[in-house]
Amino acid sequence: MIIDRAEVIVTSPDRNFVTLKLTTGDGLTGLGDATLNGRELAVVAYLRDHVVPLLLGRDAGRIEDTWQLLYRGAYWRRGPVTMAAIAAVDVALWDIKAKAAGMPLYQLLGGASRTGLLAYGHASGSDLPELFDSVRRHRELGYRAIRIQTGVPGLKVVYGIASNGTAEADALPVEEDWDTRAYLRHLPAVFEAVRNEFGPELPLLHDAHHRLTPIQAARLGQSLEPYDLFWLEDCTPAENQEALRLVRRHTVTPLAIGEVFNTVFDYQQIIREQLIDYVRGAVTHTGGITHLRKVLDFAAQYQIKSGMHGPADISPVGMAAALHLGLAIHNFGIQEYMMHGARTDQVFQQSFTWSGGLLHPGERPGIGVELDVDEAGKYPYVRAYLPYNRLADGTVHDW
């Protein structure tokens, strides 16, 4: 199984996606997701100009060796661009290997550890009636766990509110506003209202999106304890890993961290000291299946579970890879799942299923996704940025 062709395909059916397609001399193909939201072309250049020449003529079956070559051989290690590129190669090679074996990828990873993967969706609203309607819509779609994001009185636009319509901008980044004290005052009342409306059984999640200091995060976690959250996500920027010790001392609300992390070294301290409960890494951004599996095996020693990142900017290729990994590992926790748009589903033909609140990667050999190149060609790249925050005094703040 010698690699004789490598293509980097950029398409924007509903948003930008970067896909690596590898083809072997005997006609097997493998896909890997290399999408880095808002910086997509940086990964395209890394793959086309630096990685692809290293792949041609290599044995597609040597997955671990190829991973180490791309990680150690570059000398300049880690970082989102490098690790997204490595992830794309890694998943494409696993796709080829599973196709060669004639079985779905999860079988090569040890077989299924469960019948399906519990997933959560994103309910949001600028006010409580809109939020309640969103929760009801998600329950009708079959979600059995729901993330709650809400507007804050006095703020025009807040992260995670679908009706704001500012997830991406096609010119320059959208500027949003932020007030931490207003947020901390408002949020407990939101969760009290949601619990009163929907009862105690529904698993609820919330994403603070890195916007709080450690002491503010501790206060939020403590104030949300009466509402029994499944997790509080990214409560404070976790580059300062010691900061989570303070949060942990003051709240028993479960913590999920890691969607902006790239390697096991980012997680090393917070896993070893048991400062988190869920690993939020994405296959797409954490070096692929090979590396994220190692992170999750490390986490399992401390009873820490997976909560893999799965927004709509992870392509169906990246989502499928996450589902195969999640089905196989023992310490699966929950899978984020934002449904892709109809045009994306036409470009990426998928075998994974959604039923009864559970995801399954399907039984097609490989990862179960095929790319329609002709359809992808209808949607050229569109420059897009994520928003950013400013405080009332004009200071740039974490979005």
Side-chain angles (χ1 to χ4, degrees):
M1 296 193 300
I2 302 301
I3 301 168
D4 71 359
R5 191 161 72 254
E7 305 162 79
V8 182
I9 299 162
V10 183
T11 183
S12 188
D14 296 293
R15 64 197 308 154
N16 292 320
F17 298 111
V18 179
T19 307
L20 176 67
K21 181 178 181 181
L22 300 181
T23 305
T24 67
D26 46 1
L28 291 174
T29 61
L31 299 179
D33 181 19
T35 307
L36 186 62
N37 194 6
R39 296 293 186 270
E40 297 91 352
L41 297 187
V43 190
V44 171
Y46 193 102
L47 282 168
R48 283 180 177 165
D49 298 340
H50 304 291
V51 172
V52 164
L54 300 174
L55 300 176
L56 300 178
R58 286 188 63 82
D59 182 351
R62 298 183 63 177
I63 298 175
E64 178 71 26
D65 183 66
T66 301
W67 196 98
Q68 298 296 341
L69 172 68
L70 297 179
Y71 181 79
R72 299 179 187 278
Y75 185 72
W76 309 107
R77 302 177 184 180
R78 306 166 65 181
V81 174
T82 294
M83 298 308 286
I86 292 175
V89 176
D90 184 76
V91 172
L93 294 179
W94 277 111
D95 193 15
I96 289 171
K97 185 177 281 285
K99 287 176 179 175
M103 59 181 60
L105 174 58
Y106 75 83
Q107 294 288 9
L108 292 188
L109 300 176
S113 291
R114 54 198 51 81
T115 57
L117 305 173
L118 177 68
Y120 72 90
H122 295 188
S124 66
S126 58
D127 54 26
L128 286 177
E130 188 176 277
L131 174 61
F132 287 179
D133 287 345
S134 182
V135 172
R136 293 186 187 101
R137 283 195 300 273
H138 279 78
R139 297 186 79 178
E140 289 168 1
L141 289 170
Y143 286 100
R144 290 160 38 186
I146 298 177
R147 192 184 80 166
I148 300 296
Q149 304 295 133
T150 181
V152 177
L155 299 182
K156 296 186 293 295
V157 182
V158 176
Y159 161 80
I161 311 302
S163 58
N164 289 339
T166 61
E168 294 180 346
D170 60 6
L172 292 174
V174 171
E175 181 179 301
E176 299 183 359
D177 52 351
W178 184 247
D179 182 336
T180 299
R181 294 184 70 239
Y183 165 76
L184 292 175
R185 289 194 303 269
H186 181 64
L187 197 64
V190 170
F191 274 88
E192 180 179 23
V194 171
R195 278 288 179 227
N196 288 340
E197 181 72 16
F198 297 100
E201 298 300 324
L202 179 65
L204 300 178
L205 306 86
H206 179 70
D207 185 359
H209 222 242
H210 315 278
R211 292 169 294 183
L212 308 179
T213 66
I215 196 66
Q216 291 167 345
R219 173 185 166 189
L220 179 62
Q222 193 174 76
S223 68
L224 294 177
E225 285 177 10
Y227 312 111
D228 187 27
L229 266 64
F230 187 96
W231 78 35
L232 173 61
E233 179 184 347
D234 288 333
C235 58
T236 190
E239 294 95 326
N240 176 13
Q241 304 206 350
E242 293 181 1
L244 288 166
R245 294 175 183 165
L246 186 151
V247 182
R248 215 40 154 180
R249 283 198 299 268
H250 290 282
T251 182
V252 294
T253 295
L255 303 177
I257 295 285
E259 69 182 50
V260 298
F261 287 175
N262 314 125
T263 73
V264 70
F265 303 106
D266 298 313
Y267 286 103
Q268 194 169 37
Q269 181 177 357
I270 58 177
I271 288 177
R272 188 177 60 245
E273 296 189 20
Q274 302 173 70
L275 300 177
I276 60 172
D277 301 280
Y278 295 91
V279 167
R280 285 283 289 139
V283 171
T284 299
H285 301 138
T286 317
I289 290 168
T290 295
H291 190 64
L292 187 54
R293 175 69 181 264
K294 293 174 182 178
V295 175
L296 293 171
D297 285 345
F298 175 42
Q301 299 177 58
Y302 299 94
Q303 297 178 290
I304 296 169
K305 296 184 177 182
S306 73
M308 281 180 261
H309 192 44
D313 53 277
I314 300 291
S315 85
V317 174
M319 175 61 69
L323 300 188
H324 283 280
L325 182 56
L327 195 69
I329 61 174
H330 179 257
N331 59 324
F332 172 80
I334 199 169
Q335 174 65 53
E336 182 178 20
Y337 177 46
M338 290 184 70
M339 296 179 181
H340 291 101
R343 292 186 298 187
T344 297
D345 290 340
Q346 288 181 321
V347 171
F348 298 94
Q349 297 162 7
Q350 308 146 36
S351 68
F352 62 80
T353 60
W354 168 247
S355 177
L358 300 177
L359 289 160
H360 191 283
E363 300 301 330
R364 188 187 302 171
I367 62 170
V369 180
E370 297 298 332
L371 176 67
D372 186 329
V373 177
D374 292 335
E375 192 70 21
K378 297 178 182 179
Y379 307 107
Y381 169 78
V382 178
R383 187 180 66 188
Y385 294 95
L386 291 170
Y388 70 100
N389 269 336
R390 286 191 187 272
L391 305 180
D393 68 358
T395 303
V396 173
H397 190 66
D398 292 304
W399 177 66

